[in-house]
Amino acid sequence: MKLVIVKDYAELSRKAAEMLVSEVKANPKTVFGLATGGTPVGMYRELIKLSQAESIDFSQASSFNLDEYVGLSSTHPQSYRSYMQENLFNHINIPAEKTYVPAGNTTDHLAECARYEEAIRLAGGIDIQVLGIGNNGHIGFNEPGSSAESLTRVVQLTDSTIEANARYFDSVDQVPTQAVSMGIKTILGTKKVVLLASGEAKAEAVRLMLEGEPTADVPASLLQLHPNVTVIVDHGAASKLTTSVLAGTKPSGS
Ligand code: F6R
């Protein structure tokens, strides 16, 4: 895995946005894999800025989001569909019908998960997948214990994830306890991954991802099995890495 250490969140956001822009410039039909949560908000802001400044064309692109809460309708303010509309889709010219977010409120989750995998396959696979990382090492909502063979499915959220996400809801009781999430195998099947982590709260998960053995106990460590991963971290998220991992990386900025 390639490690890029940047000085702060602003630089992390800029670098990640630049990667997405160069992808769509090189291939207008790019299939994006997208994440929600706090970390990529800055990246989406930068992406919108760059797209407007350089008239970047997303008219032939498509996107697949990692996950959605079970039980929330797509119009619920805390749904990941709403997040994506607000933070990105309403501001670029990607066709609405080519932005896929799993449906969390269907009557048949199994069918929805199979349909999602099939839609990714029919699109030709994901060209570039953006990931954040949970404090517990999750990617997507693949919580510790998720198998490297897992596909899109309904997952149970851990207490630590529910607590971490309670900041977006009025109270912790309102946080859904399940989600539909792309699986580890789905993520490992993407062509390129860019994982973003900011702040000291992520430092231990980042260390285990990069320095530990690949294990389902730390789902992000399974990315070691992927041939093309770039991890962009700021100084806080890099603070627990050892010198052997740091050797060969060049901190950018001061
Ligand atoms: C979001 C997702 C999650 C988040 C992770 C980190 O679609 O799948 O894995 O990336 O929980 O969240 P933040 O960025 O809020 O710390």
Side-chain angles (χ1 to χ4, degrees):
M1 295 201 276
K2 182 177 166 209
L3 175 64
V4 179
I5 302 178
V6 296
K7 78 169 184 298
D8 57 18
Y9 180 69
E11 196 182 345
L12 172 145
S13 302
R14 244 185 346 261
K15 274 220 166 352
E18 283 163 6
M19 280 182 75
L20 299 190
V21 164
S22 25
E23 199 74 22
V24 75
K25 275 184 176 169
N27 171 18
K29 294 186 173 163
T30 294
V31 180
F32 291 97
L34 299 175
T36 57
T39 311
V41 168
M43 175 193 76
Y44 291 133
R45 207 178 297 130
E46 287 298 322
L47 182 59
I48 294 165
K49 246 199 316 200
L50 274 175
S51 301
Q52 289 170 351
E54 298 184 32
S55 304
I56 305 293
D57 181 20
F58 290 89
S59 64
Q60 299 181 70
S62 56
S63 68
F64 288 88
N65 265 78
L66 282 166
D67 38 25
E68 179 60 281
Y69 288 118
V70 164
L72 299 194
S73 72
S74 57
T75 53
H76 187 286
Q78 260 63 54
S79 75
Y80 285 164
R81 164 58 74 178
S82 297
Y83 169 107
M84 288 310 301
Q85 291 303 134
E86 280 159 32
N87 285 288
L88 184 64
F89 299 151
N90 291 346
H91 309 281
I92 61 173
N93 70 336
I94 191 164
E97 69 281 8
K98 285 165 86 181
T99 63
Y100 297 85
V101 179
N105 62 346
T106 55
T107 49
D108 187 346
H109 292 305
L110 269 183
E112 169 62 10
C113 294
R115 188 193 67 86
Y116 206 67
E117 286 288 334
E118 182 63 3
I120 294 172
R121 197 186 65 75
L122 288 175
I126 291 169
D127 294 307
I128 182 163
Q129 176 66 55
V130 177
L131 294 176
I133 182 170
N135 298 348
N136 64 0
H138 74 211
I139 46 175
F141 274 136
N142 295 286
E143 299 285 31
S146 297
S147 151
E149 291 301 315
S150 52
L151 293 171
T152 303
R153 68 207 184 289
V154 172
V155 294
Q156 198 65 38
L157 303 182
T158 61
D159 290 347
S160 89
T161 297
I162 292 171
E163 269 160 41
N165 289 0
R167 66 193 194 277
Y168 298 110
F169 292 82
D170 289 338
S171 78
V172 73
D173 314 330
Q174 291 180 11
V175 185
T177 56
Q178 292 185 319
V180 174
S181 177
M182 275 187 202
I184 300 287
K185 190 171 183 181
T186 325
I187 293 169
L188 292 179
T190 63
K191 290 166 200 151
K192 195 185 285 184
V193 169
V194 51
L195 183 143
L196 311 176
S198 170
E200 278 175 32
K202 299 291 171 69
E204 183 60 11
V206 166
R207 185 183 74 76
L208 291 169
M209 165 177 67
L210 293 169
E211 299 184 0
E213 290 296 313
T215 164
D217 295 342
V218 183
S221 68
L222 297 170
L223 291 171
Q224 293 174 29
L225 308 175
H226 191 292
N228 189 344
V229 179
T230 302
V231 174
I232 309 180
V233 292
D234 60 14
H235 286 314
S239 59
K240 291 196 174 166
L241 294 176
T242 65
T243 42
S244 60
V245 168
L246 293 175
T249 65
K250 208 162 111 220
S252 64
S254 51

